Amino acid sequence: SIKTFRRSWDTACRKAGLLGLRFHDLRRSAAVQMLEAGIPESHAMQLLGHRTRSIFDRYAISGRRILKNQTRKLGQLYQSAPDADRRVINLEPR
């Protein structure tokens, strides 16, 4: 039975070999992974139980990987556009 969450959490982490893992680390990871998966921020906020945008922003730290992925998607959108006058310029160093 769980008497105190912290003690139970620490015991579970120790048995799993995950020393130093905090429960909120999982919430932060979930927020980032939801954004990477393309889940709209408003939906991710609801799933994680964040009531305000400022709280969600604390958890959903967008890293370079997310931004790079989003710019790649934008480039693919314009490359597949039927308008022949549009040009996509690669901004990544060669």
Side-chain angles (χ1 to χ4, degrees), residues 10-50:
D10 290 342
T11 300
C13 288
R14 188 177 64 254
K15 287 182 178 181
L18 301 171
L19 299 177
L21 181 67
R22 295 176 300 163
F23 182 74
H24 278 81
D25 293 338
L26 301 177
R27 198 174 193 197
R28 183 179 309 272
S29 295
V32 171
Q33 289 175 2
M34 285 181 195
L35 293 178
E36 286 178 343
I39 294 175
E41 292 178 358
S42 60
H43 296 173
M45 284 177 62
Q46 289 177 344
L47 290 168
L48 293 169
H50 294 129

Side-chain angles (χ1 to χ4, degrees), residues 7 11 34-35 40 47 51 55-57 61 73 76:
R7 184 180 299 160
T11 300
M34 285 181 195
L35 293 178
L47 290 168
R51 293 182 184 157
I55 297 296
F56 178 73
D57 287 342
I61 298 171
K73 286 181 182 179
Q76 289 172 353

Side-chain angles (χ1 to χ4, degrees), residues 2 17 20 35 40 52 54 56 65 85 93:
I2 297 176
L35 293 178
T52 65
S54 63
F56 178 73
R65 183 174 59 197
D85 293 333

Side-chain angles (χ1 to χ4, degrees), residues 52-77:
T52 65
R53 177 64 191 210
S54 63
I55 297 296
F56 178 73
D57 287 342
R58 290 183 201 170
Y59 282 88
I61 298 171
S62 59
R64 295 180 81 194
R65 183 174 59 197
I66 295 173
L67 295 174
K68 189 173 183 179
N69 187 30
Q70 295 302 320
T71 55
R72 187 178 314 117
K73 286 181 182 179
L74 185 61
Q76 289 172 353
L77 172 71

